[in-house]
Amino acid sequence: MNLLEIKNLHADVGGKEILQGLDLTVKAGEVHAIMGPNGSGKSTLSYVLAGKPGYEVTQGSVRYEGKDLLELAPDERAAKGIFLAFQYPLEIPGVATMTFLRTALNAQKKRRGEAELSTPEFLRLVREKAGGLGIDQDMLKRAVNVGFSGGEKKRNEILQMALLEPKLCVLDETDSGLDIDALKIVAEGVNKLRSKERAIIVITHYQRLLNHIVPDIVHVMAKGKIVRSGGPELAQELEACGYAALETEAA
Amino acid sequence: MPAVSETVERVRSIDVDQYKYGFVTDIESDKAPKGLDESTVRFISAKKNEPQWMLEWRLQAFHRWLTLREPQWARVNYGPIDYQDLYYYSAPKSTPGPKSLDEIDPEILKTYAKLGIPLREQEMLAGVERSNVAVDAVFDSVSVVTTFKEELKQAGVIFGSISDAIREHPELVRKYLGSVVPITDNFFATLNSAVFSDGSFVYIPKGVRCPMELSTYFRINEKNTGQFERTLIIADEGSYVSYLEGCTAPMRDENQLHAAVVELIALDDAEIKYSTIQNWYPGDAQGKGGIYNFVTKRGDCRGKNSKISWTQVETGSAITWKYPSCILRGDNSNGEFYSIAISNGHQQVDSGTKMIHLGKNTTSRVISKGIAAGVSNNTYRGLISSHRKATGARNFTNCDSLLIGDKCGAHTVPYIEAKNASTVFEHEATTSKISDEQLFYCLQRGLSGEEAVALIVNGFVKDVLQHLPMEFAVEAQKLIAISLEGSVG
């Protein structure tokens, strides 16, 4: 069964149509990359999937695990396993990262009718997941994303992803603002999460992230829809020729 | 009201002593008749077996009160209060001073149990960890029980109802009562001085560090009853005490008046930490009912190197009018004010502090966090002043406001007066809104809207929460979440 099935999706933001008939099918276990120039609607797609207010679907359908996704509230989607790694993670002053992680995990567990983790269980789990991402205890004590460097913010996103164990991960330009070392750490973190049960959609401008997270399928977006799909070699081709050629193709 | 006026007549016709006996046996007169005149004051004083000097003190206040007008300067709106349409004294039935927990009406104990207040020492002792909090419970107008009295006695600490203190320790009460908030102070404080019914009294002797947290729970229960409690805390030289008050009231359609006075006195090298968790009924969604909370709280750092610290979590009341203050009289004395004021629905809050620097090298610190949601209004009003002789006075003030939604208001009204050239006063203020982006980020992680707001707000108030005694910080956190229910879509 398809994990995610998007058909003829149209969406408006502030009265302007950004997605203009997008089709995409993702199966569990797959890693998809979505590439495209600025303004092609990549981030809009990620927000529509996560249910951000103000992103109005005007036409088409999105089915997740065979059910209508669009009728669910953002927090319900999260509890059902949809995770969005933000391009610009938000700051929450005064809330320790550890507290935030625990609140999120317990909120999801509660909603799914699972038992909450005890404090020692939770601490063990966080320590295990954080270690691999080079996140130390000190960083977990600091307020969520406050004063974090670009790299720290992105690693924090991946830590949340690792902890919440979603079924569908959408990474919105996770590589932006990362130096090459940080990029490697983040990519490794994502690669660890690749599994048969989980699908990952990597949204990026650049091919360089895809050297580290090798996708099964690459899509190119332009003007609100997917204009080409192919294997990892498509990314190489784009890197060489740029998006300009495709833009004319789409028009 | 023929029955009521009849009672009033009876009260008038008998003198204080006869009256005392007449009413103890008369169960029906557990309440004072409605309305306020000199006889009401005499009634209350008699009911409490007070000495003559106390009655005179009350009457002086009452006559002063008749000349005063209700203050209008606060940023709050409410209809006129009919002071003749209130009961000024209400005692739980059959409670002429209970001697032990067993003598207390089980209904009252049940009420406290529902509120989660551990009155029963045995329950506290049975717990895994021994609770280190002594509790004085005030039900409507009467202090019903004080726990751990014996243990405190061993340390020399006096903790109990102010009515008992007036009888048992008149020398202390006479010396200090009204010495921080004089009977002429303001409309509500003067009213309180005339009709206060009970409250807590604390005396910490020289050099004693109070061995446990002291706590008072106030509960308004009766309909149309004003609650006027009076708290007096004296920390003698070199002593320390941490005191906490909690307040609740049931849901009622009518507004209920609460006008308390708290006086703190810290002598040389003494320290008082006073924390409040105020959760009076705030009224319903339409703004009907709720408590009018007009409170005068003031601490006097009378001695050198003394310290008074106020921490308050204000989530209840339809109207809050409250400015816990410090008079920094002693040289090197220090005042602190940490406040979380949350308003939701139709609540109106006008709260803040006054730091009056009189002594040399006095310091003060004000951290105020106001959170407004619904259609509420939340005002911080603060005065920082230094006297001519207050060389080296320093203050740091930080006022942050957080808005939830777009129909509420946050206001900051700071007054700063420096009459000494060496004064250093700093003031910082910010106003922010919970952004939709922040909310969405939390929702995307699986938090519900209310969980998200509670988390963000708890982060916002963290600097203040950490000043609450451990036992109450968790309670305060939960309270914050509850009071913000319904504040998001």
Tab-separated table of all heavy atoms in Angstrom, chain A residues 50 52 75 78 82-84 86 91 93-95 100 104 107-108 110-111 145 157 160, chain B residues 435-438 440-449 451 455-456 458-460 462:
chain	number	residue	atom	x	y	z
A	50	ALA	N	1.910	19.032	6.541
A	50	ALA	CA	1.886	19.127	8.005
A	50	ALA	C	0.633	19.826	8.514
A	50	ALA	O	0.347	19.792	9.706
A	50	ALA	CB	3.131	19.865	8.500
A	52	LYS	N	-0.274	23.271	8.081
A	52	LYS	CA	-0.082	24.616	8.617
A	52	LYS	C	-1.258	25.521	8.260
A	52	LYS	O	-1.685	25.574	7.110
A	52	LYS	CB	1.211	25.218	8.054
A	52	LYS	CG	1.560	26.544	8.691
A	52	LYS	CD	2.932	27.038	8.266
A	52	LYS	CE	3.242	28.334	9.009
A	52	LYS	NZ	4.531	28.872	8.623
A	75	ASP	N	-1.789	18.528	14.912
A	75	ASP	CA	-1.291	17.665	15.990
A	75	ASP	C	-1.725	16.215	15.796
A	75	ASP	O	-1.031	15.287	16.199
A	75	ASP	CB	-1.675	18.207	17.369
A	75	ASP	CG	-3.135	18.625	17.464
A	75	ASP	OD1	-3.711	19.001	16.432
A	75	ASP	OD2	-3.690	18.568	18.570
A	78	ALA	N	0.661	14.749	13.361
A	78	ALA	CA	1.930	14.448	14.027
A	78	ALA	C	1.833	13.119	14.769
A	78	ALA	O	2.722	12.272	14.683
A	78	ALA	CB	2.301	15.571	14.985
A	82	ILE	N	3.479	11.864	11.032
A	82	ILE	CA	4.033	12.793	10.041
A	82	ILE	C	4.937	13.785	10.759
A	82	ILE	O	4.532	14.433	11.723
A	82	ILE	CB	2.914	13.525	9.273
A	82	ILE	CG1	2.175	12.506	8.412
A	82	ILE	CG2	3.486	14.661	8.426
A	82	ILE	CD1	1.117	13.074	7.517
A	83	PHE	N	6.169	13.868	10.308
A	83	PHE	CA	7.134	14.749	10.956
A	83	PHE	C	7.721	15.695	9.930
A	83	PHE	O	8.159	15.279	8.858
A	83	PHE	CB	8.258	13.923	11.595
A	83	PHE	CG	9.268	14.769	12.311
A	83	PHE	CD1	9.126	15.044	13.669
A	83	PHE	CD2	10.367	15.301	11.640
A	83	PHE	CE1	10.060	15.824	14.332
A	83	PHE	CE2	11.305	16.086	12.304
A	83	PHE	CZ	11.148	16.350	13.652
A	84	LEU	N	7.747	16.970	10.289
A	84	LEU	CA	8.367	17.968	9.420
A	84	LEU	C	9.591	18.543	10.114
A	84	LEU	O	9.481	19.124	11.195
A	84	LEU	CB	7.363	19.089	9.111
A	84	LEU	CG	7.896	20.321	8.378
A	84	LEU	CD1	8.433	19.958	6.998
A	84	LEU	CD2	6.796	21.385	8.244
A	86	PHE	N	11.865	21.429	10.225
A	86	PHE	CA	11.681	22.795	9.743
A	86	PHE	C	12.954	23.367	9.118
A	86	PHE	O	14.058	23.106	9.588
A	86	PHE	CB	11.237	23.716	10.899
A	86	PHE	CG	9.791	23.581	11.267
A	86	PHE	CD1	9.266	22.361	11.671
A	86	PHE	CD2	8.939	24.675	11.224
A	86	PHE	CE1	7.928	22.234	12.013
A	86	PHE	CE2	7.594	24.568	11.573
A	86	PHE	CZ	7.091	23.340	11.964
A	91	GLU	N	12.226	29.192	18.009
A	91	GLU	CA	12.766	29.289	19.371
A	91	GLU	C	11.619	29.294	20.388
A	91	GLU	O	10.591	29.906	20.145
A	91	GLU	CB	13.551	30.596	19.529
A	91	GLU	CG	14.762	30.663	18.629
A	91	GLU	CD	15.578	31.933	18.827
A	91	GLU	OE1	15.159	32.784	19.638
A	91	GLU	OE2	16.618	32.049	18.162
A	93	PRO	N	11.648	30.334	24.156
A	93	PRO	CA	12.439	30.791	25.303
A	93	PRO	C	11.948	30.192	26.612
A	93	PRO	O	10.745	30.048	26.829
A	93	PRO	CB	12.230	32.317	25.299
A	93	PRO	CG	11.755	32.647	23.925
A	93	PRO	CD	11.012	31.439	23.437
A	94	GLY	N	12.884	29.845	27.474
A	94	GLY	CA	12.543	29.370	28.810
A	94	GLY	C	12.174	27.902	28.906
A	94	GLY	O	12.044	27.372	29.996
A	95	VAL	N	11.979	27.239	27.757
A	95	VAL	CA	11.617	25.818	27.784
A	95	VAL	C	12.855	24.988	27.428
A	95	VAL	O	13.358	25.079	26.310
A	95	VAL	CB	10.480	25.512	26.792
A	95	VAL	CG1	10.162	24.027	26.777
A	95	VAL	CG2	9.240	26.313	27.152
A	100	PHE	N	10.939	19.976	26.252
A	100	PHE	CA	10.198	20.013	24.998
A	100	PHE	C	10.101	18.618	24.382
A	100	PHE	O	9.030	18.163	23.976
A	100	PHE	CB	10.891	20.982	24.035
A	100	PHE	CG	10.190	21.139	22.715
A	100	PHE	CD1	8.953	21.760	22.647
A	100	PHE	CD2	10.757	20.669	21.537
A	100	PHE	CE1	8.299	21.905	21.434
A	100	PHE	CE2	10.111	20.812	20.326
A	100	PHE	CZ	8.875	21.425	20.267
A	104	ALA	N	6.600	16.547	23.896
A	104	ALA	CA	6.173	16.126	22.559
A	104	ALA	C	5.967	14.610	22.508
A	104	ALA	O	4.939	14.117	22.042
A	104	ALA	CB	7.209	16.560	21.523
A	107	ALA	N	2.962	13.612	24.543
A	107	ALA	CA	1.710	14.052	23.911
A	107	ALA	C	1.320	13.073	22.802
A	107	ALA	O	0.159	12.683	22.679
A	107	ALA	CB	1.877	15.465	23.348
A	108	GLN	N	2.294	12.671	22.010
A	108	GLN	CA	2.005	11.728	20.925
A	108	GLN	C	1.599	10.364	21.465
A	108	GLN	O	0.667	9.733	20.982
A	108	GLN	CB	3.230	11.583	20.009
A	108	GLN	CG	3.543	12.854	19.244
A	108	GLN	CD	4.320	12.588	17.967
A	108	GLN	OE1	4.516	11.449	17.564
A	108	GLN	NE2	4.767	13.654	17.336
A	110	LYS	N	0.281	9.692	24.352
A	110	LYS	CA	-1.033	9.809	24.976
A	110	LYS	C	-2.118	9.716	23.901
A	110	LYS	O	-3.108	9.014	24.044
A	110	LYS	CB	-1.122	11.150	25.711
A	110	LYS	CG	-2.242	11.215	26.722
A	110	LYS	CD	-2.111	12.455	27.594
A	110	LYS	CE	-2.764	13.656	26.925
A	110	LYS	NZ	-2.492	14.921	27.619
A	111	ARG	N	-1.908	10.424	22.824
A	111	ARG	CA	-2.897	10.462	21.752
A	111	ARG	C	-3.077	9.095	21.087
A	111	ARG	O	-4.139	8.750	20.614
A	111	ARG	CB	-2.443	11.478	20.708
A	111	ARG	CG	-3.578	12.088	19.950
A	111	ARG	CD	-3.058	13.283	19.245
A	111	ARG	NE	-3.093	14.417	20.150
A	111	ARG	CZ	-3.795	15.511	19.878
A	111	ARG	NH1	-4.480	15.584	18.776
A	111	ARG	NH2	-3.782	16.519	20.715
A	145	ASN	N	16.186	25.818	20.857
A	145	ASN	CA	16.720	26.591	19.724
A	145	ASN	C	17.181	28.008	20.054
A	145	ASN	O	17.614	28.741	19.163
A	145	ASN	CB	15.703	26.667	18.564
A	145	ASN	CG	15.458	25.299	17.947
A	145	ASN	OD1	16.377	24.500	17.822
A	145	ASN	ND2	14.219	25.015	17.600
A	157	GLU	N	16.542	19.187	15.206
A	157	GLU	CA	15.396	18.694	14.434
A	157	GLU	C	15.518	17.190	14.208
A	157	GLU	O	14.551	16.440	14.353
A	157	GLU	CB	15.313	19.406	13.071
A	157	GLU	CG	14.955	20.876	13.135
A	157	GLU	CD	13.548	21.113	13.637
A	157	GLU	OE1	12.583	20.867	12.881
A	157	GLU	OE2	13.423	21.524	14.793
A	160	GLN	N	14.774	15.229	17.314
A	160	GLN	CA	13.327	15.091	17.547
A	160	GLN	C	12.749	13.995	16.662
A	160	GLN	O	11.914	13.197	17.072
A	160	GLN	CB	12.619	16.424	17.274
A	160	GLN	CG	12.989	17.500	18.270
A	160	GLN	CD	12.425	18.851	17.885
A	160	GLN	OE1	11.282	18.949	17.480
A	160	GLN	NE2	13.229	19.876	18.003
B	435	SER	N	3.572	33.541	18.767
B	435	SER	CA	3.402	33.615	17.319
B	435	SER	C	2.735	32.356	16.796
B	435	SER	O	2.840	31.276	17.385
B	435	SER	CB	4.754	33.828	16.641
B	435	SER	OG	5.499	32.634	16.675
B	436	ASP	N	2.026	32.498	15.678
B	436	ASP	CA	1.396	31.346	15.040
B	436	ASP	C	2.452	30.317	14.651
B	436	ASP	O	2.212	29.113	14.694
B	436	ASP	CB	0.622	31.794	13.794
B	436	ASP	CG	-0.570	32.671	14.174
B	436	ASP	OD1	-0.965	32.635	15.355
B	436	ASP	OD2	-1.079	33.390	13.300
B	437	GLU	N	3.628	30.828	14.277
B	437	GLU	CA	4.717	29.932	13.871
B	437	GLU	C	5.150	29.042	15.038
B	437	GLU	O	5.335	27.845	14.877
B	437	GLU	CB	5.922	30.764	13.401
B	437	GLU	CG	5.645	31.688	12.232
B	437	GLU	CD	5.637	30.956	10.892
B	437	GLU	OE1	6.331	29.937	10.781
B	437	GLU	OE2	4.918	31.414	9.989
B	438	GLN	N	5.295	29.690	16.216
B	438	GLN	CA	5.693	28.949	17.413
B	438	GLN	C	4.656	27.876	17.749
B	438	GLN	O	4.996	26.736	18.062
B	438	GLN	CB	5.764	29.923	18.592
B	438	GLN	CG	7.132	30.147	19.140
B	438	GLN	CD	7.088	31.171	20.260
B	438	GLN	OE1	6.118	31.893	20.450
B	438	GLN	NE2	8.175	31.239	21.004
B	440	PHE	N	2.494	26.495	15.710
B	440	PHE	CA	2.494	25.441	14.696
B	440	PHE	C	3.657	24.470	14.899
B	440	PHE	O	3.512	23.266	14.739
B	440	PHE	CB	2.551	26.050	13.289
B	440	PHE	CG	2.666	25.031	12.195
B	440	PHE	CD1	1.644	24.106	11.980
B	440	PHE	CD2	3.794	24.968	11.388
B	440	PHE	CE1	1.752	23.146	10.983
B	440	PHE	CE2	3.908	24.007	10.391
B	440	PHE	CZ	2.881	23.094	10.196
B	441	TYR	N	4.786	25.031	15.286
B	441	TYR	CA	5.955	24.184	15.556
B	441	TYR	C	5.621	23.145	16.632
B	441	TYR	O	5.912	21.956	16.490
B	441	TYR	CB	7.123	25.067	15.997
B	441	TYR	CG	8.453	24.376	16.145
B	441	TYR	CD1	9.055	23.727	15.070
B	441	TYR	CD2	9.142	24.392	17.356
B	441	TYR	CE1	10.297	23.113	15.206
B	441	TYR	CE2	10.383	23.785	17.496
B	441	TYR	CZ	10.956	23.147	16.417
B	441	TYR	OH	12.179	22.540	16.541
B	442	CYS	N	4.978	23.618	17.694
B	442	CYS	CA	4.593	22.700	18.781
B	442	CYS	C	3.527	21.700	18.323
B	442	CYS	O	3.589	20.519	18.660
B	442	CYS	CB	4.077	23.483	19.978
B	442	CYS	SG	5.317	24.511	20.750
B	443	LEU	N	2.545	22.189	17.579
B	443	LEU	CA	1.483	21.298	17.083
B	443	LEU	C	2.094	20.211	16.217
B	443	LEU	O	1.718	19.042	16.287
B	443	LEU	CB	0.464	22.079	16.247
B	443	LEU	CG	-0.415	23.089	16.968
B	443	LEU	CD1	-1.318	23.803	15.975
B	443	LEU	CD2	-1.252	22.424	18.039
B	444	GLN	N	3.056	20.597	15.389
B	444	GLN	CA	3.672	19.637	14.491
B	444	GLN	C	4.401	18.550	15.266
B	444	GLN	O	4.613	17.449	14.788
B	444	GLN	CB	4.637	20.359	13.526
B	444	GLN	CG	4.720	19.713	12.139
B	444	GLN	CD	5.213	18.285	12.162
B	444	GLN	OE1	6.281	18.021	12.717
B	444	GLN	NE2	4.457	17.359	11.586
B	445	ARG	N	4.777	18.857	16.493
B	445	ARG	CA	5.449	17.844	17.313
B	445	ARG	C	4.430	17.018	18.105
B	445	ARG	O	4.805	16.212	18.943
B	445	ARG	CB	6.457	18.508	18.254
B	445	ARG	CG	7.598	19.214	17.533
B	445	ARG	CD	8.337	18.281	16.577
B	445	ARG	NE	9.449	18.945	15.935
B	445	ARG	CZ	9.499	19.206	14.629
B	445	ARG	NH1	8.502	18.869	13.836
B	445	ARG	NH2	10.566	19.785	14.114
B	446	GLY	N	3.131	17.313	17.901
B	446	GLY	CA	2.106	16.474	18.521
B	446	GLY	C	1.426	17.085	19.727
B	446	GLY	O	0.554	16.470	20.324
B	447	LEU	N	1.823	18.293	20.126
B	447	LEU	CA	1.163	18.931	21.261
B	447	LEU	C	-0.183	19.492	20.809
B	447	LEU	O	-0.305	19.995	19.692
B	447	LEU	CB	2.009	20.085	21.803
B	447	LEU	CG	3.136	19.742	22.775
B	447	LEU	CD1	4.255	19.002	22.077
B	447	LEU	CD2	3.682	21.008	23.416
B	448	SER	N	-1.178	19.440	21.674
B	448	SER	CA	-2.448	20.085	21.353
B	448	SER	C	-2.260	21.589	21.519
B	448	SER	O	-1.268	22.035	22.102
B	448	SER	CB	-3.538	19.594	22.301
B	448	SER	OG	-3.276	20.067	23.596
B	449	GLY	N	-3.215	22.357	21.018
B	449	GLY	CA	-3.111	23.813	21.128
B	449	GLY	C	-2.917	24.256	22.566
B	449	GLY	O	-2.069	25.096	22.863
B	451	GLU	N	-1.840	22.446	25.156
B	451	GLU	CA	-0.539	22.003	25.678
B	451	GLU	C	0.570	22.932	25.190
B	451	GLU	O	1.505	23.254	25.925
B	451	GLU	CB	-0.243	20.567	25.221
B	451	GLU	CG	-1.062	19.507	25.941
B	451	GLU	CD	-0.953	18.115	25.305
B	451	GLU	OE1	-0.754	18.024	24.068
B	451	GLU	OE2	-1.070	17.137	26.037
B	455	LEU	N	2.978	25.197	27.503
B	455	LEU	CA	4.430	25.006	27.452
B	455	LEU	C	5.141	26.340	27.211
B	455	LEU	O	6.103	26.689	27.913
B	455	LEU	CB	4.773	24.019	26.328
B	455	LEU	CG	6.254	23.664	26.211
B	455	LEU	CD1	6.632	22.585	27.214
B	455	LEU	CD2	6.598	23.195	24.806
B	456	ILE	N	4.632	27.090	26.245
B	456	ILE	CA	5.272	28.365	25.906
B	456	ILE	C	5.168	29.341	27.082
B	456	ILE	O	6.129	30.025	27.431
B	456	ILE	CB	4.631	28.962	24.625
B	456	ILE	CG1	4.953	28.059	23.427
B	456	ILE	CG2	5.138	30.380	24.370
B	456	ILE	CD1	4.159	28.366	22.168
B	458	ASN	N	4.769	28.558	30.278
B	458	ASN	CA	5.638	28.122	31.370
B	458	ASN	C	7.094	28.499	31.119
B	458	ASN	O	7.836	28.806	32.050
B	458	ASN	CB	5.495	26.619	31.621
B	458	ASN	CG	4.398	26.324	32.634
B	458	ASN	OD1	4.354	26.931	33.692
B	458	ASN	ND2	3.494	25.422	32.290
B	459	GLY	N	7.482	28.484	29.857
B	459	GLY	CA	8.831	28.946	29.523
B	459	GLY	C	8.974	30.433	29.792
B	459	GLY	O	9.974	30.894	30.359
B	460	PHE	N	7.939	31.159	29.436
B	460	PHE	CA	7.934	32.615	29.606
B	460	PHE	C	8.075	33.015	31.073
B	460	PHE	O	8.720	34.006	31.408
B	460	PHE	CB	6.630	33.150	28.997
B	460	PHE	CG	6.402	34.622	29.150
B	460	PHE	CD1	7.141	35.531	28.404
B	460	PHE	CD2	5.438	35.096	30.011
B	460	PHE	CE1	6.918	36.893	28.544
B	460	PHE	CE2	5.212	36.459	30.145
B	460	PHE	CZ	5.959	37.356	29.410
B	462	LYS	N	9.390	31.185	33.541
B	462	LYS	CA	10.346	30.339	34.269
B	462	LYS	C	11.159	31.102	35.320
B	462	LYS	O	11.343	30.625	36.428
B	462	LYS	CB	11.289	29.670	33.269
B	462	LYS	CG	12.042	28.500	33.856
B	462	LYS	CD	13.137	28.027	32.930
B	462	LYS	CE	14.388	28.837	33.180
B	462	LYS	NZ	15.485	28.527	32.292
